[in-house]
Amino acid sequence: MCRAGGGCKRAESERKGPVGAAAGAVPEMGWVQMAEGAGGGCFPLSIQKTRGYWREQPIFTTRAHVFQIDPSTKKNWVPASKQAVTVSYFYDVTRNSYRIISVDGAKVIINSTITPNMTFTKTSQKFGQWADSRANTVFGLGFSSEQQLTKFADKFQEVKEAAKLAKDKSQEKIETSSNHSQESGCETPSSTQASSVNGTDDEKASHVGPADTHLKSENDKLKIALTQSAANVKKWEIELQTLRESNARLTTALQESAASVEQWKKQFSICRDENDRLRNKIDELEEQCSEINREKEKNTQLKRRIEELESELREKETELKDLRKQSEIIPQLMSECEYVSEKLEAAERDNQNLEDKVRSLKTDIEESKYRQRHLKVELKSFLEVLDGKIDDLHDFRRGLSKLGTDN
């Protein structure tokens, strides 16, 4: 169990490590404490613990939505997580290998060992994918920003180059070890041959020459090589015994871990039941809170209604006071109303007389209009006669003027 900022519970999880564990390594369930540069916090993971230290260390951590290719169609993406989860690069110290791991709750949804022939492809501004031939699937990651995708892709390329260098170094070590084994195999029969050629000490004493000196030097070299081989054998036996003891201790630890797993399962079941109970209690409290809120809203509405009614009541009281004041002056108003009624009747009589006068005036106006029209007609006829007379007069004057001229 690890604690970071208040502690986190340790949960059981099945080991999903890469194929082929190192000799003497026994899987141990646990939680890994994240480094500060990797995001901090606790990361649930099945990590192998070898000789007292954590073999895999987180080197980069981010959050993304995880998808896997549909195995039936090989075209559609299937969500592997309901929400954004932690995705981390882990470095295996003993095997010098890298892998990408992501866990959703107690379920491992990504466990991909990075090899030099893998390629991470950006398919959009916030989505990338890579194919894992060992898992026989294609993983896809959806990020919240293009910057996170770029960081993850750069880290993938960096880890891929590191995996390639590690593979090359491992190949060189294998070739070097193979060459040493071949050299050791060739030296063994030579030593036997040298022993038979050199013979006994008496033969050496009787046959002394340049060839024997050369054989003696070769024999000394073979003895040194045999001594070194024996020392190496003893060293390997000691290391083998150490590994056996370590394996026995790790086996014991595994058994204890298995027992603790059962205990953790029981505690997990208890915590789950308690969690369900608390959730039900929270649901009940939320329902009660919603009812209380509804009652508060009703009370608020009732208060507003009461205030409105009080305001209307005050207005009605004000109107009632005004009406009472008006009722005090009603007799005076009645007398004034009678006086006004009398004046109104007198005005109506005067109005009637005026109307009669207006009608008579209208009749006179119509008669005068008729006379004017008659006068206009007579005046027009008179003007026409006058015009005829004037024309005759002009003709007469022209005749007189002409007559005077002739005389």
Side-chain angles (χ1 to χ4, degrees), residues 257-270:
S257 177
S260 64
V261 164
E262 294 297 329
Q263 183 180 0
W264 285 115
K265 283 183 178 179
K266 293 179 182 178
Q267 291 186 2
F268 177 74
S269 178
I270 293 171

Side-chain angles (χ1 to χ4, degrees), residues 112-254:
S112 177
T113 302
I114 299 175
T115 58
N117 58 350
M118 283 186 177
T119 302
F120 185 84
T121 305
K122 296 180 182 179
T123 57
S124 67
Q125 292 183 349
K126 298 182 182 180
F127 193 86
Q129 66 183 45
W130 78 96
D132 189 342
S133 58
R134 293 186 179 181
N136 193 24
T137 187
V138 179
F139 293 103
L141 296 179
F143 296 89
S144 60
S145 65
E146 185 177 0
Q147 184 180 4
Q148 290 183 352
L149 173 60
T150 303
K151 288 182 179 180
F152 188 89
D154 294 341
K155 196 66 180 179
F156 192 96
Q157 186 65 26
E158 178 184 342
V159 169
K160 176 182 173 181
E161 295 295 333
K164 184 177 180 181
L165 292 175
K167 183 178 180 181
D168 295 339
K169 289 181 180 179
S170 176
Q171 190 67 26
E172 290 177 0
K173 287 181 180 179
I174 292 172
E175 291 177 356
T176 305
S177 175
S178 177
N179 293 333
H180 285 312
S181 299
Q182 290 177 2
E183 290 175 0
S184 299
C186 293
E187 288 175 354
T188 304
S190 299
S191 63
T192 306
Q193 184 179 2
S195 300
S196 64
V197 171
N198 289 335
T200 61
D201 293 338
D202 295 335
E203 291 175 349
K204 288 180 184 180
S206 60
H207 300 85
V208 178
D212 294 334
T213 303
H214 178 70
L215 291 174
K216 184 178 180 181
S217 63
E218 291 291 332
N219 192 16
D220 292 337
K221 291 180 181 179
L222 291 173
K223 285 181 179 179
I224 293 170
L226 287 173
T227 303
Q228 291 178 352
S229 298
N232 289 332
V233 168
K234 290 181 180 179
K235 181 180 177 181
W236 292 338
E237 288 178 351
I238 293 171
E239 188 168 354
L240 179 61
Q241 184 63 27
T242 303
L243 290 174
R244 286 176 179 173
E245 293 175 357
S246 177
N247 193 17
R249 288 196 300 270
L250 292 173
T251 303
T252 304
L254 176 62

Side-chain angles (χ1 to χ4, degrees), residues 272-328:
R272 184 173 58 189
D273 295 339
E274 182 69 15
N275 189 20
D276 294 337
R277 189 182 65 80
L278 290 174
R279 283 182 179 176
N280 294 330
K281 185 65 175 177
I282 289 171
D283 293 337
E284 293 177 358
L285 292 174
E286 287 180 350
E287 186 176 357
Q288 292 178 1
C289 288
S290 62
E291 291 179 357
I292 291 172
N293 292 330
R294 288 194 294 270
E295 291 296 330
K296 286 182 178 179
E297 291 178 358
K298 289 181 180 179
N299 290 335
T300 305
Q301 293 176 357
L302 289 174
K303 286 181 179 179
R304 286 198 296 268
R305 182 59 181 167
I306 289 171
E307 291 175 356
E308 292 174 357
L309 291 174
E310 288 177 350
S311 177
E312 291 179 359
L313 181 61
R314 286 193 293 270
E315 292 177 357
K316 295 295 182 183
E317 289 178 351
T318 305
E319 291 178 359
L320 183 60
K321 289 179 180 178
D322 295 337
L323 290 173
R324 284 176 180 174
K325 290 180 181 179
Q326 292 177 3
S327 64
E328 292 176 356

